[in-house]
Short mmCIF file of all heavy atoms in Angstrom, two decimals:
data_model
loop_
_atom_site.label_atom_id
_atom_site.label_comp_id
_atom_site.label_asym_id
_atom_site.label_seq_id
_atom_site.Cartn_x
_atom_site.Cartn_y
_atom_site.Cartn_z
N ILE A 108 69.80 -252.69 43.00
CA ILE A 108 69.38 -252.30 44.36
C ILE A 108 68.28 -253.21 44.91
O ILE A 108 67.79 -252.98 46.01
CB ILE A 108 68.96 -250.82 44.44
CG1 ILE A 108 67.80 -250.48 43.52
CG2 ILE A 108 70.17 -249.93 44.19
CD1 ILE A 108 67.25 -249.07 43.71
N GLY A 109 67.90 -254.22 44.16
CA GLY A 109 67.01 -255.23 44.72
C GLY A 109 65.52 -254.97 44.58
O GLY A 109 64.76 -255.41 45.44
N THR A 110 65.12 -254.29 43.52
CA THR A 110 63.69 -254.07 43.28
C THR A 110 63.43 -254.01 41.79
O THR A 110 64.34 -254.09 40.97
CB THR A 110 63.18 -252.81 44.00
OG1 THR A 110 61.76 -252.81 44.00
CG2 THR A 110 63.72 -251.54 43.38
N LEU A 111 62.17 -253.86 41.44
CA LEU A 111 61.77 -253.77 40.04
C LEU A 111 62.43 -252.56 39.37
O LEU A 111 62.55 -251.50 40.00
CB LEU A 111 60.26 -253.62 39.93
CG LEU A 111 59.41 -254.72 40.55
CD1 LEU A 111 57.95 -254.30 40.57
CD2 LEU A 111 59.59 -256.00 39.78
N PRO A 112 62.80 -252.66 38.10
CA PRO A 112 63.46 -251.53 37.42
C PRO A 112 62.63 -250.24 37.44
O PRO A 112 63.19 -249.17 37.64
CB PRO A 112 63.65 -252.04 35.99
CG PRO A 112 63.65 -253.52 36.11
CD PRO A 112 62.75 -253.86 37.26
N LYS A 113 61.33 -250.35 37.25
CA LYS A 113 60.50 -249.14 37.23
C LYS A 113 60.43 -248.49 38.60
O LYS A 113 60.45 -247.27 38.71
CB LYS A 113 59.11 -249.47 36.70
CG LYS A 113 59.14 -249.87 35.24
CD LYS A 113 57.83 -250.42 34.77
CE LYS A 113 57.99 -250.92 33.33
NZ LYS A 113 56.91 -251.75 32.90
N LEU A 114 60.37 -249.30 39.65
CA LEU A 114 60.38 -248.75 41.01
C LEU A 114 61.76 -248.19 41.33
O LEU A 114 61.87 -247.14 41.95
CB LEU A 114 59.97 -249.81 42.03
CG LEU A 114 59.91 -249.33 43.49
CD1 LEU A 114 58.92 -248.18 43.66
CD2 LEU A 114 59.54 -250.49 44.40
N ALA A 115 62.81 -248.86 40.89
CA ALA A 115 64.17 -248.38 41.12
C ALA A 115 64.36 -246.99 40.51
O ALA A 115 64.98 -246.12 41.12
CB ALA A 115 65.19 -249.35 40.54
N TYR A 116 63.80 -246.78 39.32
CA TYR A 116 63.88 -245.47 38.66
C TYR A 116 63.24 -244.40 39.54
O TYR A 116 63.81 -243.32 39.74
CB TYR A 116 63.20 -245.55 37.29
CG TYR A 116 63.17 -244.25 36.55
CD1 TYR A 116 64.27 -243.82 35.82
CD2 TYR A 116 62.04 -243.43 36.58
CE1 TYR A 116 64.25 -242.62 35.14
CE2 TYR A 116 62.02 -242.22 35.91
CZ TYR A 116 63.12 -241.82 35.19
OH TYR A 116 63.10 -240.61 34.53
N LEU A 117 62.06 -244.69 40.08
CA LEU A 117 61.35 -243.73 40.95
C LEU A 117 62.15 -243.45 42.21
O LEU A 117 62.27 -242.30 42.65
CB LEU A 117 59.97 -244.28 41.33
CG LEU A 117 58.94 -244.44 40.23
CD1 LEU A 117 57.72 -245.18 40.75
CD2 LEU A 117 58.56 -243.07 39.66
N ILE A 118 62.71 -244.50 42.80
CA ILE A 118 63.45 -244.34 44.05
C ILE A 118 64.71 -243.51 43.83
O ILE A 118 65.01 -242.61 44.61
CB ILE A 118 63.78 -245.72 44.66
CG1 ILE A 118 62.48 -246.41 45.12
CG2 ILE A 118 64.76 -245.59 45.82
CD1 ILE A 118 62.65 -247.86 45.49
N VAL A 119 65.45 -243.78 42.76
CA VAL A 119 66.65 -242.99 42.47
C VAL A 119 66.28 -241.52 42.28
O VAL A 119 66.94 -240.63 42.82
CB VAL A 119 67.42 -243.54 41.24
CG1 VAL A 119 68.52 -242.58 40.80
CG2 VAL A 119 68.00 -244.91 41.54
N ASN A 120 65.20 -241.25 41.56
CA ASN A 120 64.76 -239.86 41.39
C ASN A 120 64.43 -239.21 42.72
O ASN A 120 64.82 -238.07 42.98
CB ASN A 120 63.54 -239.79 40.46
CG ASN A 120 63.92 -239.89 39.02
OD1 ASN A 120 65.08 -239.79 38.64
ND2 ASN A 120 62.92 -240.12 38.17
N ASP A 121 63.68 -239.91 43.58
CA ASP A 121 63.29 -239.34 44.87
C ASP A 121 64.50 -239.11 45.77
O ASP A 121 64.61 -238.07 46.42
CB ASP A 121 62.29 -240.25 45.58
CG ASP A 121 60.86 -239.94 45.20
OD1 ASP A 121 60.63 -239.12 44.29
OD2 ASP A 121 59.95 -240.52 45.83
#
Side-chain angles (χ1 to χ4, degrees):
I108 60 172
T110 193
L111 302 170
K113 293 170 185 166
L114 181 59
Y116 177 82
L117 294 172
I118 293 169
V119 170
N120 281 347
D121 272 7

